[in-house]
Amino acid sequence: MNPHGGTPRVVTEEDLAGFTAGQFLDVLKALTAILTLPRSAADHVDALVVATGQGEGWRLRHAIRDWEANPGLRHLLVTNGNPAEQTYVDLTLDHLRGLGLRRAEGVCLQAGPAPHTGRQAAWIADRARGLGVASLALVVSPYHLPRAYLTVLKALDRRNLRLPVIPVPVAVSPDTPVPETGATAYDLVPGEVKRILTYMDEDQVATLGELQQYLRWLWSRHGSLLAGAPG
């Protein structure tokens, strides 16, 4: 399922045997805590960010639809993908226009390849700092949302940046086959859990403790944004 190395996209129960019940609970707690953040807050952020990959055009279409519907968004940041994927397409404005983009001002595309989520997150954090982004919403498929969110938090923390990050799970059926592998969200969640736990040990994603600290700050300092008021 993953001819390019790294953790396979689809793993079995046996592949998760080395982890403890406490570690699995940490992932469940992290997911639950992330989902406490209201989707409505994404209508009032500074930038919309979409993490591409796996041939999932629905990520881009969802983000473009939100971007076009909300002129208050100042930036649309679009990460690049992995050129080793069979479903990879060149990231250009023309490609985005074919998906419905009309408002090009404020759109920023990642120029270099991004073979993994860490590279995407680093670019997002660098762009946030360079553009003076005050808050952002992260658009990604639901099965990938926890890892993407925790990776972006870690990238921001490495740059001493703390800003509201609102999760925006794309509306897509969990039975929908992902173009790159043909696997469904149900198939892919175990591999995402394994990556999260492995990368926590390697300091590549935010830990549960780091997430808790961040969310305490976010809920205490940005309550008006989370309540649906402009940030």
Side-chain angles (χ1 to χ4, degrees), residues 129-149:
R129 180 171 58 187
L131 294 169
V133 168
S135 56
L136 64 87
L138 179 64
V139 179
V140 70
S141 296
Y143 76 86
H144 184 46
L145 175 62
R147 182 162 65 90
Y149 191 90

Side-chain angles (χ1 to χ4, degrees), residues 194-213:
K194 184 175 183 180
R195 280 184 173 83
I196 289 171
L197 293 173
T198 300
Y199 297 162
M200 278 183 179
D201 286 342
E202 297 175 356
D203 198 33
Q204 297 182 41
V205 304
T207 65
L208 176 61
E210 290 168 336
L211 175 66
Q212 289 174 319
Q213 184 180 42

Side-chain angles (χ1 to χ4, degrees), residues 74-111:
R74 294 199 305 123
H75 305 286
L76 173 63
L77 308 182
V78 184
T79 72
N80 209 332
N82 183 358
E85 293 178 358
Q86 294 181 352
T87 52
Y88 175 82
V89 296
D90 288 332
L91 189 63
T92 65
L93 282 177
D94 282 343
H95 177 67
L96 268 58
R97 288 188 179 102
L99 298 175
L101 180 73
R102 297 293 177 267
R103 183 164 64 102
E105 184 177 358
V107 177
C108 185
L109 310 180
Q110 185 175 9

